[in-house]
Amino acid sequence: MPTPPKTVEQFGYRQELQRTLGFADLMIYGLIFMVPIAPFGIFGSVFAASGGMVALAYVVGLVAMAFTALSYAQMAKAFPMAGSVYTYAGRGIAAPVGFIAGWAILLDYLLVPGLLYLVAGVAMNSFVPVVPVWGWVVVFVALNTVVNYLGIQMTVRITRIMLVAELIVLAIFLVVGVVALAQGKAQTGALTPLFDSSTFTLPLVFGAASVAVLSFLGFDGISTLAEESREDGRRLGRSMVAALALAAVLFVAQTWVAALLTPNRATLLQKGDPAGSAFYDTAAFAGGPWLATLTAVATAIAWGFANSLVAQAATSRLLFAMARDRQLPAFLARVHPRHKVPVNATLVVAALSLALGVYMSTRADGIPLMSSLVNFGAMSAFLLLHVAVVVHYLLRQRSSNLIAHLLVPLLGFGILVFVVVNANVAAQRLGFAWLGLGLVVLAVTYVAGRRPRLPEEVA
């Protein structure tokens, strides 16, 4: 007989959130979190960082994230609870390690909504300059907070609509782009976006991949909805892998076409894309100003509303899980009696996102700095995820599945280490400072006699 799926009650919790989400809901949530048109907004940065090999950077990013997604799937099967890598490292290795993993991923989750609001605010300000960037940030934060407050089903309904809209815009760009290529507008050889011998070096590609993986971050957000899913842990994991695979196909297709049509390639490679307009310039070259406007507006709405909506939801679930285990203030674990959402955590995330978005709008380096920090936090937490798979399955459970429980996490770990090493230096310094602060907080809890403990460990 098959083993019955595990429940949160088996781990010492009460089922407080509402289980309404199916496989399709989870996959759509992951796709929206990753944003099917995410490369629109960072295309120029990845192009410059990769020496024009944008498609290759996304392929490498996919490989890195594929191993991580497979490890996520294994841990979701073992521990089908909210909390993402915090839960998996805490229960797969030890509660203190889970705290550090949660602290690391917080750098990602707490910054992501603010980053998305900032990118969207900058884009909208270019169309409606009478409203300052910080004004658009306020509008997006308020709108998303109301939707998330009304419950996960409202969030899911909105994301379905947004996903269809994004796919329509992407299809329009791809069709116009292919027609432009057929008309002889290609600016380089067909395989150059995948390999260019004049610029290729491993550090270059992995450094670019560290930026490109920003587009893939979000498949892991599915794991934060484990206690709102009707599916068992196995299908929850499969929804993460499926969402990642679909997003990868879309990312490679659009960046390949865009890289072939990019005008002023030499200037972009030399000076980068400080204005963030490289993709829109390419769209204008391929189809005219109307296509540039369409893709820019779609990016603003996708980042500022759809993506930040699900990012806020995922972050609030992470705070909820850590607070429930008394590793963050207890008021963050309060669930709204009617809407069945972690209401205080949702409001705290909104306030932090608003503060970060408004502050970073005053800095010239706000977007690139936040992007690098987001990636550093995620990669650091993912490293502990791979360790958790080996410890839980191979050492504790004596698993004989060496591919899933040893080879996959080892390869994923190695690739992520290389990506982190080649990441932005400023992000490395700030990221390690954040991890150091987490270790100090952990040490203080031990001195105070409140070391991290999970419910099933309590006698």
Side-chain angles (χ1 to χ4, degrees), residues 211 230 450:
V211 179
R230 300 193 305 266
R450 294 184 59 220

Side-chain angles (χ1 to χ4, degrees), residues 23-36 159 163 215-223 225 239-240 242-244 247 251 307 310:
F23 183 88
D25 296 322
L26 295 170
M27 192 169 65
I28 290 171
Y29 177 93
L31 279 173
I32 281 291
F33 206 150
M34 286 181 279
V35 185
T159 56
L163 178 61
S215 301
F216 289 109
L217 298 182
F219 75 88
D220 55 302
I222 294 175
S223 64
L225 302 181
S239 69
M240 285 188 263
L244 180 67
F251 292 167
N307 192 7
V310 294

Side-chain angles (χ1 to χ4, degrees), residues 189-275:
L191 295 180
T192 303
L194 190 63
F195 180 77
D196 185 346
S197 59
S198 66
T199 60
F200 178 85
T201 65
L202 278 178
L204 178 79
V205 172
F206 276 93
S210 70
V211 179
V213 293
L214 177 65
S215 301
F216 289 109
L217 298 182
F219 75 88
D220 55 302
I222 294 175
S223 64
T224 65
L225 302 181
E227 293 177 38
E228 292 158 278
S229 167
R230 300 193 305 266
E231 309 291 350
D232 61 20
R234 189 182 303 273
R235 283 179 62 80
L236 182 79
R238 288 174 182 169
S239 69
M240 285 188 263
V241 175
L244 180 67
L246 285 173
V249 172
L250 298 176
F251 292 167
V252 171
Q254 64 194 271
T255 55
W256 199 313
V257 171
L260 292 176
L261 292 166
T262 301
N264 304 317
R265 291 173 56 85
T267 302
L268 187 57
L269 288 172
Q270 272 189 333
K271 299 182 179 180
D273 184 30

Side-chain angles (χ1 to χ4, degrees), residues 117 124 131-146 304-305 354:
Y117 291 131
M124 291 303 294
V131 180
V133 173
W134 65 263
W136 285 112
V137 171
V138 171
V139 170
F140 283 126
V141 170
L143 182 61
N144 284 345
T145 301
V146 169
F305 182 45
L354 180 61

Side-chain angles (χ1 to χ4, degrees), residues 175-383:
V175 169
V176 174
V178 170
V179 169
L181 291 173
Q183 293 173 342
K185 288 188 175 183
Q187 302 296 295
T188 187
L191 295 180
T192 303
L194 190 63
F195 180 77
D196 185 346
S197 59
S198 66
T199 60
F200 178 85
T201 65
L202 278 178
L204 178 79
V205 172
F206 276 93
S210 70
V211 179
V213 293
L214 177 65
S215 301
F216 289 109
L217 298 182
F219 75 88
D220 55 302
I222 294 175
S223 64
T224 65
L225 302 181
E227 293 177 38
E228 292 158 278
S229 167
R230 300 193 305 266
E231 309 291 350
D232 61 20
R234 189 182 303 273
R235 283 179 62 80
L236 182 79
R238 288 174 182 169
S239 69
M240 285 188 263
V241 175
L244 180 67
L246 285 173
V249 172
L250 298 176
F251 292 167
V252 171
Q254 64 194 271
T255 55
W256 199 313
V257 171
L260 292 176
L261 292 166
T262 301
N264 304 317
R265 291 173 56 85
T267 302
L268 187 57
L269 288 172
Q270 272 189 333
K271 299 182 179 180
D273 184 30
S277 62
F279 191 94
Y280 316 126
D281 295 339
T282 299
F285 176 75
W290 69 270
L291 187 59
T293 301
L294 176 65
T295 53
V297 171
T299 300
I301 296 174
W303 286 54
F305 182 45
N307 192 7
S308 51
L309 176 68
V310 294
Q312 186 184 55
T315 307
S316 67
R317 270 63 175 179
L318 175 61
L319 295 179
F320 163 78
M322 295 184 73
R324 183 174 59 181
D325 290 337
R326 300 180 62 195
Q327 297 189 27
L328 286 177
F331 83 97
L332 293 172
R334 180 175 178 267
V335 174
H336 193 283
R338 178 183 173 189
H339 301 303
K340 301 299 180 183
V341 296
V343 58
N344 288 344
T346 298
L347 295 176
V348 165
V349 173
L352 287 173
S353 301
L354 180 61
L356 282 169
V358 170
Y359 170 70
M360 286 296 181
S361 69
T362 65
R363 295 180 56 122
D365 64 342
I367 292 176
L369 179 60
M370 290 181 73
S371 299
S372 299
L373 284 171
V374 164
N375 285 343
F376 185 92
M379 299 303 105
S380 301
F382 293 166
L383 289 172

